[in-house]
Each structure stands twice: as C-alpha cells, then as structure tokens.
Amino acid sequence: GILNTKGYFDALIKQVDHMVAEGFVKSNHRNLMLVSDSVSDLLNKMQGYQAPEKSPLINKVVKNDD
C-alpha cells in the first residue's frame, strides 16, 4: 500500500497511470496499488484486499512448492 501523505506520491501515481494509458502497464496491475492519504483508510483497504487468481501463464512460470 502507498500512504500518499500530503500528495507525496502523486507524481509516482500519475506516472503509473500514464504507463497504463500508453499500454506499458495493464490496468488490472495498476489496480493492485492500494493508495490512500489516510492511515485508517489504507489499513482498511489492505485488510479487505483479495489477491487476484493467478493466470495459467503465471502457473507455468511460478512453481508452487506446496
């Protein structure tokens, strides 16, 4: 999560959004960034986070040693 106190990370967030618009980053990857300017809001977002399902490609690349 990114605690964006007083807009400190605004430029980073804007850059990532621009990368999405230009096709360098997928929007679903951008949506993995949890951003807030409030500690309590960010903690709530983090507590409610649900990891996305791994794609078949990721399953081939990432080995689970379970």
Side-chain angles (χ1 to χ4, degrees):
I2 297 175
L3 182 59
N4 193 24
T5 304
K6 297 183 182 179
Y8 184 83
F9 291 105
D10 284 350
L12 173 67
I13 296 163
K14 185 176 179 180
Q15 176 64 34
V16 174
D17 289 341
H18 180 68
M19 293 169 70
V20 170
E22 294 296 321
F24 290 102
V25 174
K26 293 181 179 182
S27 61
N28 58 332
H29 294 152
R30 163 58 178 94
N31 294 335
L32 294 173
M33 291 175 54
L34 304 177
V35 180
S36 181
D37 60 357
S38 159
V39 172
S40 60
D41 183 52
L42 184 58
L43 288 174
N44 285 334
K45 287 180 178 183
M46 293 172 79
Q47 287 175 336
Y49 176 76
Q50 294 290 321
E53 294 290 324
K54 289 190 282 185
S55 72
L57 176 62
I58 295 297
N59 288 335
K60 290 180 184 178
V61 176
V62 177
K63 296 178 183 176
N64 285 332
D65 294 330
D66 297 326

